[in-house]
């Protein structure tokens, strides 16, 4: 068990948390939610001891081991992958290294023998002989190929490093597990594996995530951070949302009845306070009026942007034809003879683990890359807007947000442009911020503003939910559901894909394509996916 007792945390004069009391018990999976800036990551750091409280304290049941998902992807570049995962259980790793050092001695003494036997006993007690196979199983489950298990971390790409750090956090059955955005940079298969792992996990989990489907799948409780307080709800994200909305409705209805009663009493007092025969009744009503207190309904700190893609022209029947497209990147053939036709009602989700292939295809269709072979053709009635996964070059500028967006606007009027910025939560002085210094979430909202202002009827979006908070993801999700044009997108948010797409494409590791007109959930249950999972499971079992 881990609990916060009267915890206050101040940054300067501002209290991020004030007198927080909350208890996280064994067997519970707690989703920690709140608006950007509410302090979710800060609270995890307070729980883990990385930050000191201003007042109050954190209590952990004596003897329990706490494990944290680390965010520094370069910290362990010199370590091998398998070693790093085992380091997740610090005591076990220390025993392994001390044993190795003793057995490597040339002048092995009686004292060394005694110490080695003590270490061997503790090692066996901690299931040390299973450590390597357990670590390998975690890595395989998250999609790290066995060939990489003995590689150095510096040889892995960013997504692979994230998976290894996650395996390190999960290793050794920790008593308390703190996970900050564990699904970031994971493919949908790895997310599904993690969901099942956490569902079966019997100890305490506290997780921050912007993935609504993930929170609904794994969480038994929801801890909502709002205005420096944390309110605990029993149930997953959807249950929290329904409960919190119901509570607000009930408070509003109760206040409405109280206001009606107040009005009735005030009218009586006004009419009869000067009437001698009614003076006692008027006095009684004054006392009753003084006792009525309206419930304080504080608005949430959450803010939802207004995302509405409105195409300037209706799209025709001929949208996009791709024929025999191939592309090799850094010696790897990521697209191999890809062909498909896009219809005017298609909202296509590109799924699966081949991230480079999806990004390469989008770059080709957006005109930023040339294919090695094959061709593609957009229809004459189409206009495209592209959201790149890597927008670094886009914001390498000293322009203000307002000037940056004006450069893409067909209407150069400042009021018109600021209207778009206001919808995306850039109010007042925000418009004069330099784009170079924007946060990840602010850059995404800028790119979405650019897409909205373009009036395009075909949208290409490569991982648009990265860096967005829950409220912005919900707004974007609803905006794409409502959009009347064509969408080609990739996204790791299960609910986002399921509710938006009517067609699924997966580019396989060999560069070939699976193309199904179906929802995402139906696709996961299809024969192709079932066969893939069977082969993958058998391969993992054979490796173990």
């Amino acid at each position: 068990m881990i609990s916060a007792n009267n915890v206050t945390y101040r940054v300067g004069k501002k209290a991020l948390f004030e007198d927080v009391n909350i208890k996280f018990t064994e067997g519970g999976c707690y989703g920690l939610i709140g608006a950007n800036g509410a302090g979710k990551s800060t609270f995890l750091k307070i729980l883990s001891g990385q930050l000191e409280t201003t007042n109050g304290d954190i209590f952990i049941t004596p003897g329990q081991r706490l494990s944290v998902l680390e965010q520094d992807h370069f910290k362990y570049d010199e370590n091998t992958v398998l070693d790093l995962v085992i380091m997740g259980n610090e005591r076990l790793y220390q025993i392994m290294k001390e044993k190795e050092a003793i057995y490597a001695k040339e002048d092995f003494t009686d004292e060394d023998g005694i110490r080695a036997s003590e270490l061997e006993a503790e090692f066996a007690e901690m299931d040390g002989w299973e450590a390597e196979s357990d670590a390998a199983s975690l890595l395989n489950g998250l999609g790290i190929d066995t060939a990489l298990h003995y590689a150095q971390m510096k040889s892995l790409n960013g997504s692979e490093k994230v998976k290894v750090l996650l395996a390190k956090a999960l290793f050794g059955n920790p008593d308390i597990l703190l996970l900050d955005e564990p699904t970031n940079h994971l493919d949908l298969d790895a997310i599904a594996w993690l969901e099942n792992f956490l569902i079966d996990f019997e100890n305490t989990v506290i997780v921050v995530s912007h993935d609504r489907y993930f929170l609904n799948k794994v969480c038994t409780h929801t801890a909502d951070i709002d205005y420096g307080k944390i309110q605990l709800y029993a149930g997953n994200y959807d249950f929290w949302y329904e409960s919190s909305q119901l509570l607000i409705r009930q408070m509003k209805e109760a206040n409405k009845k109280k206001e009606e009663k107040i009005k009735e009493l005030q009218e009586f007092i006004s009419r009869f306070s000067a009437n001698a025969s009614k003076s006692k009744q008027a006095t009684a009503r004054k006392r009753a009026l003084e006792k009525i207190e309206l419930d304080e309904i504080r608005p949430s700190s959450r803010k939802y942007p207004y995302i509405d893609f409105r195409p300037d022209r209706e799209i025709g029947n001929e949208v996009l034809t791709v024929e025999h497209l191939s592309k090799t990147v850094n010696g790897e053939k990521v697209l191999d003879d890809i062909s498909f036709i896009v219809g005017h009602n298609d909202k296509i989700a590109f799924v699966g683990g081949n991230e480079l292939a999806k990004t390469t295809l989008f770059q080709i269709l957006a005109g930023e890359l040339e294919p090695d072979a094959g061709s593609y053709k957009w229809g004459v009635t189409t206009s495209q807007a592209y959201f790149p996964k890597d927008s670094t070059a886009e914001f390498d500028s000293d322009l203000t947000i307002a000037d940056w967006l004006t450069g893409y606007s067909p209407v150069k009027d400042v009021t018109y442009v600021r209207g778009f910025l206001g919808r995306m939560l850039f109010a007042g002085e925000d418009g004069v911020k330099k784009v170079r210094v924007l946060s990840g979430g602010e850059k995404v909202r800028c790119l979405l503003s650019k897409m909205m202002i373009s009036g395009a009827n075909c949208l290409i979006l490569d991982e648009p939910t990265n860096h967005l908070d829950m409220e912005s993801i919900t707004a974007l999700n609803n905006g794409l559901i409502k959009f009347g044009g064509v969408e080609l997108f990739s996204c790791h948010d299960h609910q986002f894909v399921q509710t938006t797409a009517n067609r699924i494409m997966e580019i396989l590791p060999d560069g070939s394509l699976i193309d199904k007109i179906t929802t995402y959930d139906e696709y996961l249950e299809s024969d192709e996916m079932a066969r893939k999972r069977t082969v993958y499971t058998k391969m993992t079992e054979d490796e173990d």
Side-chain angles (χ1 to χ4, degrees), residues 33-35 38 224-231 298-302:
I33 63 171
D224 177 34
I225 303 179
D226 212 352
Y227 288 109
K229 301 293 183 182
I230 303 181
Q231 180 71 40
R298 197 171 187 181
S300 172
S301 60
R302 291 175 171 83

Side-chain angles (χ1 to χ4, degrees), residues 226-416:
D226 212 352
Y227 288 109
K229 301 293 183 182
I230 303 181
Q231 180 71 40
L232 189 61
Y233 295 79
N236 61 15
Y237 177 81
D238 280 350
F239 183 83
W240 161 80
Y241 183 79
E242 293 298 329
S243 299
S244 59
Q245 295 302 304
L246 176 61
L247 181 61
I248 292 171
R249 286 197 300 270
Q250 288 174 339
M251 291 175 69
K252 285 181 176 178
E253 288 171 5
N255 274 356
K256 185 178 179 182
K257 290 179 181 178
K258 289 179 183 178
E259 287 168 351
E260 289 172 353
K261 185 64 175 177
I262 289 170
K263 185 179 179 182
E264 178 189 322
L265 292 171
Q266 287 173 335
E267 287 176 352
F268 186 92
I269 294 166
S270 177
R271 285 180 61 193
F272 298 111
S273 59
N275 188 322
S277 64
K278 298 279 189 178
S279 63
K280 286 186 178 181
Q281 294 179 41
T283 301
R285 280 167 171 74
K286 281 182 182 178
R287 286 196 293 267
L289 181 61
E290 290 169 357
K291 292 178 181 179
I292 298 176
E293 293 183 4
L294 295 177
D295 294 321
E296 182 186 1
I297 305 176
R298 197 171 187 181
S300 172
S301 60
R302 291 175 171 83
K303 293 181 180 179
Y304 291 82
Y306 179 72
I307 299 178
D308 186 21
F309 301 101
R310 296 185 181 181
D312 289 338
R313 66 183 298 186
E314 191 173 336
I315 200 166
N317 289 326
E318 292 185 7
V319 179
L320 173 65
T321 302
V322 175
E323 294 184 327
H324 306 296
L325 211 63
S326 294
K327 182 69 177 178
T328 297
V329 179
N330 297 327
E332 177 187 354
K333 196 162 196 176
V334 294
L335 301 174
D336 187 11
D337 199 28
I338 297 286
S339 297
F340 58 89
I341 296 173
V342 176
H344 68 281
N345 291 319
D346 281 345
K347 295 185 177 183
I348 305 172
F350 288 78
V351 303
N354 202 336
E355 304 292 324
L356 179 59
K358 289 181 282 188
T359 294
T360 300
L361 177 61
F362 288 158
Q363 288 176 325
I364 290 171
L365 298 180
E368 294 193 352
L369 273 183
E370 288 293 326
D372 296 335
S375 63
Y376 67 95
K377 182 181 179 183
W378 288 100
V380 294
T381 63
T382 65
S383 55
Q384 301 84 41
Y386 173 49
F387 182 104
K389 180 185 287 188
D390 183 0
S391 60
T392 305
E394 184 82 59
F395 295 99
D396 185 16
S397 166
D398 288 321
L399 290 173
T400 65
I401 297 175
D403 290 340
W404 177 86
L405 187 58
T406 300
Y408 295 107
S409 173
V411 179
K412 302 303 179 184
D413 179 65
V414 175
T415 305
Y416 177 79

